[in-house]
Amino acid sequence: MSRSPLPLPPNVFDHFYLGGERIADLRGLPPADEPLKRPEDWLGSIVARWGSDGVGITDLGQAGKLADLIDAAPQAWLGAHHTARWGASPALLVKLLDAGQRLPVHAHPTRDFAARHLDCPFGKSEAWAVIDTPAGGGTVYVGANRPVSRDEWGALVADQDTPAMLGLLTPLTVHPGDGVFVPGGTPHAIDAGMFIVELQEPTDFSILLEWRGFDIDGPADGHLGLGFDVALDAVRCDAFDAEALDQLVRRAGKGTLRPVLPEVAEPYFRAWAVTATVDEAVTVAESFAVVVVLDGEGTLGWSGERRPIGRGDAFVVPHAAGELTFEGAVSAIVALPPDPATADPIEWDEQQ
């Protein structure tokens, strides 16, 4: 197999909510004549869209499907320690997400719920590396501000009471460079105007709590085929106090290589913000990775080789490539799976 980082072509497709203009601009796609409903670009994906026949899986053209390449050489792609723990799964899915409207209130299952009900070892905890917001900051809604019983969630879903659901969530103002972690089970939403690099466990498991006004059949498609009687068991009923919320956010920092996400995200995934300059190169340790170049031009080096990179480029990087070196005036996000030595997380439904 090749030890080289492989370019990732845009992997966009229609969704039920608006957005995608900033993805098109960043990734060099032609402008649309009407509002887009292509708000996500799935990067380095071995995951298919829920209920689809392979939509979303990364196709590298002549090189083949990424899932097939990893299956053929898992240790070269992922590393021996990684494969000993997670097999041929990268344990990671990365997306660009450009919200042209507020996303509905929803939640994702934990690993325990997914194992019991969906025959999958991964849930869908996720994190957001914020790359653009409206002027003055954007808004994300994370966790309930008071305890909400399962029956109350059920009534809100049945009534599609959007104001009440949003009123139960805590709004957080975020800015470019911030990172936010959303544990499985946490009800949440993303406001219009947010542009993020999203890291998540490698699934497409979503439980819709709100769908009124969106182009989706919530009663049919909002519960992962489980029915809401079962699906609502995945939604947290506890409240997030200020201390708990603070642990979910890492504010933007300085430096040529800095972690983007809070420490509580590390059992799930990691991300580095790279800011190389013409005077200072930046090196990232060997790992399977997804790289998104946000701005500038420079070079990406590995194993004695290098290639030019620029704004809008994206790459999937095999572990066998070794260290990555960024040179030139270039900024990027490097998304990584968890360190195989990291302990498993203890999720909320394991503490009940």
Side-chain angles (χ1 to χ4, degrees), residues 169-205:
L169 302 185
T170 301
L172 302 174
T173 300
V174 293
H175 302 273
D178 291 347
V180 182
F181 174 59
V182 184
T186 305
H188 62 281
I190 299 172
D191 212 353
M194 294 291 301
F195 191 20
I196 62 176
V197 176
E198 181 176 69
L199 292 80
Q200 61 177 73
E201 294 183 86
T203 72
D204 189 36
F205 298 150

Side-chain angles (χ1 to χ4, degrees), residues 16-298:
F16 65 88
Y17 67 98
L18 294 170
E21 283 80 4
R22 284 175 292 187
I23 291 174
D25 176 68
L26 178 66
R27 300 281 273 142
L29 295 171
D33 295 328
E34 57 187 30
L36 286 174
K37 282 191 174 179
R38 294 196 160 191
E40 300 178 10
D41 183 3
W42 292 27
L43 303 171
S45 172
I46 66 165
V47 176
R49 184 183 196 172
W50 173 260
S52 78
D53 184 20
V55 174
I57 294 175
T58 291
D59 187 337
L60 296 167
Q62 291 185 347
K65 297 285 181 68
L66 177 61
D68 295 336
L69 297 178
I70 294 175
D71 282 342
Q75 288 196 18
W77 270 97
L78 304 172
H81 295 298
H82 182 110
T83 55
R85 185 162 179 185
W86 293 294
S89 172
L92 176 69
L93 172 60
V94 180
K95 301 175 183 176
L96 288 168
L97 191 156
D98 174 22
Q101 68 183 118
R102 180 182 59 79
L103 274 63
V105 178
H106 63 291
H108 308 295
T110 62
R111 292 178 178 181
D112 181 67
F113 184 95
R116 286 186 289 114
H117 296 287
L118 299 164
D119 192 28
C120 182
F122 295 104
K124 193 176 176 288
S125 292
E126 66 186 36
W128 309 322
V130 181
I131 55 178
D132 192 27
T133 68
T139 302
V140 295
Y141 302 85
V142 180
N145 51 44
R146 64 166 175 81
V148 185
S149 71
R150 184 191 179 287
D151 287 345
E152 185 175 0
W153 276 122
L156 291 168
V157 170
D159 293 341
Q160 283 299 285
D161 191 342
T162 294
M165 281 192 269
L166 279 178
L168 287 171
L169 302 185
T170 301
L172 302 174
T173 300
V174 293
H175 302 273
D178 291 347
V180 182
F181 174 59
V182 184
T186 305
H188 62 281
I190 299 172
D191 212 353
M194 294 291 301
F195 191 20
I196 62 176
V197 176
E198 181 176 69
L199 292 80
Q200 61 177 73
E201 294 183 86
T203 72
D204 189 36
F205 298 150
S206 292
I207 297 164
L208 290 181
L209 304 176
E210 175 198 3
W211 56 80
R212 179 175 290 168
F214 292 91
D215 186 18
I216 190 168
D217 185 349
D221 300 328
H223 48 69
L224 297 172
L226 301 172
F228 280 107
D229 283 348
V230 174
L232 285 175
D233 289 339
V235 182
R236 295 182 67 150
C237 296
D238 57 339
F240 282 77
D241 60 21
E243 181 180 358
L245 285 169
D246 189 58
Q247 293 178 354
L248 301 181
V249 180
R250 183 190 287 269
R251 297 299 180 180
K254 297 180 179 180
T256 56
L257 181 68
R258 62 174 185 83
V260 179
L261 305 179
E263 290 184 8
V264 291
E266 291 182 1
Y268 300 93
F269 25 65
R270 298 165 289 163
W272 293 104
V274 170
T275 308
T277 70
V278 294
D279 298 316
E280 185 172 0
V282 177
T283 298
V284 178
E286 64 183 0
S287 174
F288 174 85
V290 172
V291 175
V292 183
V293 182
L294 301 179
D295 200 14
E297 294 182 345

Side-chain angles (χ1 to χ4, degrees), residues 267-349:
Y268 300 93
F269 25 65
R270 298 165 289 163
W272 293 104
V274 170
T275 308
T277 70
V278 294
D279 298 316
E280 185 172 0
V282 177
T283 298
V284 178
E286 64 183 0
S287 174
F288 174 85
V290 172
V291 175
V292 183
V293 182
L294 301 179
D295 200 14
E297 294 182 345
T299 62
L300 178 65
W302 70 93
S303 301
E305 300 184 56
R306 64 172 56 188
R307 63 164 296 151
I309 58 173
R311 179 181 182 271
D313 289 341
F315 302 90
V316 60
V317 182
H319 185 279
E323 292 183 341
L324 296 178
T325 300
F326 294 82
E327 296 181 295
V330 64
S331 62
I333 297 290
V334 181
L336 311 169
D339 185 328
T342 300
D344 283 330
I346 300 175
E347 299 184 304
W348 77 274
D349 49 358

